[in-house]
Amino acid sequence: MPDQLFDDPDLAALYDLFSPSDGRGDFTFYLPLIMSADSVLDVGCGTGALLHMAREQGHKGRLCGIDPAHGMLGQARTHDGIEWVLGDLASTTLEGEFDLVLMSGHAFQVFVEDSEAKTTLAAIESVLTEKGRFAFETRNPLVRAWEQWDTEYSGEVTDSTGAVVRVEVDVDVEQPSSGENEVVRFSHTFTSSGWSQPRVSHSTLRFIDVNTLSSLLNDTGFIIEQQFGDWDRSPLTDTSPEIITIAKRA
C-alpha cells in the first residue's frame, strides 16, 4: 500500500477494510510461527492486526510492532497488551531480543535500493536471538502481478460513518522490462461523496528476483532455511506468486 496511506489517519482507518484479516493467506502462514516463538517483532506492523490476532489466540510472550507511520500506529495502539513503537529499527535499542522477526504485507519491497535492503537486514540480524528466525515475503517478479492491480485492488468500502469510499489503482511506470528486479510505480486515488477532493497517494515497490534476494541475505549474515512459492507452503517455482523466505543467522 502507498506511503501516504500509512501516515494519513483517515485513510489508515480504512486499511483493514480494504485488506481484511479474514482469509489473508499471509496471516494463516505467519500465525503459527508467531505462536511458537516467545518473543516476536513485526517490522512494518501497520495497523497491528496480525499481532493482535496472535494475542487473541493466546500468545503469552512478548509481542512488539514497529512502524514509521503515525496513522498506522494510531490504529495499532487501539490494541492493548502489545508494545507499539513509532519509528524504524535504526531508532531502537532492541539488540538480540527476539526469537522471530517478521515482515508481512510485502513490506520488504519498499526497499528499492540494495543499500536500503542491506541496512534493514543488518538491523534485523542484530535484534534476533542466537537461534532467531526472520520470516518475510516478496512477490515473484516473473509473474508480473502489477499488470492486474488496476482491477484487483480497485474497489470500495463503507467506513464507520456509513460513507462509501472508492479507491482506483493506476500503475504508472514499470522499469526495466527484463522481468527481474522490476521497480514499479503506482498510485491510489481515494474518493468519497463527503470529501471536498480526492486523496491521491503514490508508491514505489521493487520486485526482486530469487538470486538477488539470496545475495542480499548472505551479505548481511543470513542463511536461507526455507522458501515457499505460496501461502500453502507449496514449492517455489517460476510461476509461484510469492517468494516466502524463512532465514536464520549464519
Side-chain angles (χ1 to χ4, degrees):
M1 298 298 285
D3 295 343
Q4 292 93 328
L5 174 60
F6 296 164
D7 264 326
D8 187 315
D10 293 332
L11 295 183
L14 299 172
Y15 182 87
D16 288 334
L17 295 176
F18 281 110
S19 301
S21 57
D22 291 345
R24 279 186 59 167
D26 56 344
F27 280 24
T28 300
F29 180 90
Y30 289 124
L31 192 59
L33 298 179
I34 295 173
M35 300 303 291
S36 64
D38 291 334
S39 53
V40 180
L41 175 65
D42 186 352
V43 179
C45 64
T47 64
L50 180 54
L51 292 183
H52 176 59
M53 183 181 295
R55 188 66 85 201
E56 280 195 321
Q57 294 197 14
H59 192 285
K60 302 299 183 183
R62 182 184 183 188
L63 299 177
C64 180
I66 184 169
D67 200 289
H70 290 267
M72 299 299 260
L73 256 292
Q75 295 296 309
R77 284 171 173 158
T78 63
H79 304 306
D80 297 327
I82 301 169
E83 299 172 50
W84 302 115
V85 179
L86 178 65
D88 55 32
L89 287 178
S91 63
T92 67
T93 56
L94 300 171
E95 188 169 350
E97 297 185 21
F98 294 96
D99 299 319
L100 174 68
V101 174
L102 63 91
M103 294 184 74
S104 62
H106 304 101
F108 191 81
Q109 290 185 244
V110 303
F111 306 119
V112 175
E113 302 293 338
D114 280 359
S115 58
E116 297 174 307
K118 287 183 177 181
T119 297
T120 300
L121 287 169
I124 289 171
E125 196 271 345
S126 72
V127 303
L128 284 170
T129 60
E130 183 179 351
K131 296 183 179 180
R133 298 293 186 270
F134 173 42
F136 69 107
E137 85 284 341
T138 64
R139 299 177 181 90
N140 185 354
L142 299 177
V143 178
R144 303 178 69 85
W146 62 87
E147 295 178 346
Q148 285 77 47
W149 282 359
D150 57 344
T151 55
E152 183 178 356
Y153 292 118
S154 296
E156 61 184 34
V157 297
T158 302
D159 69 14
S160 60
T161 70
V164 174
V165 180
R166 173 91 185 158
V167 63
E168 297 284 347
V169 177
D170 180 45
V171 178
D172 301 315
V173 179
E174 304 164 15
Q175 63 176 21
S177 59
S178 64
E180 294 184 342
N181 290 298
E182 303 279 358
V183 176
V184 177
R185 296 177 175 88
F186 57 101
S187 64
H188 288 65
T189 301
F190 296 86
T191 56
S192 186
S193 59
W195 296 358
S196 59
Q197 61 184 12
R199 302 184 187 187
V200 182
S201 62
H202 303 276
S203 189
T204 303
L205 296 179
R206 181 187 188 186
F207 283 68
I208 189 169
D209 68 273
V210 173
N211 291 334
T212 303
L213 180 60
S214 178
S215 295
L216 289 172
L217 288 165
N218 290 337
D219 289 347
T220 49
F222 283 100
I223 296 173
I224 294 174
E225 190 171 66
Q226 293 177 292
Q227 279 189 319
F228 305 100
D230 209 344
W231 302 116
D232 60 2
R233 291 179 168 256
S234 55
L236 176 60
T237 69
D238 287 349
T239 59
S240 299
E242 305 285 347
I243 304 172
I244 305 164
T245 302
I246 300 176
K248 63 181 180 180
R249 297 177 66 176

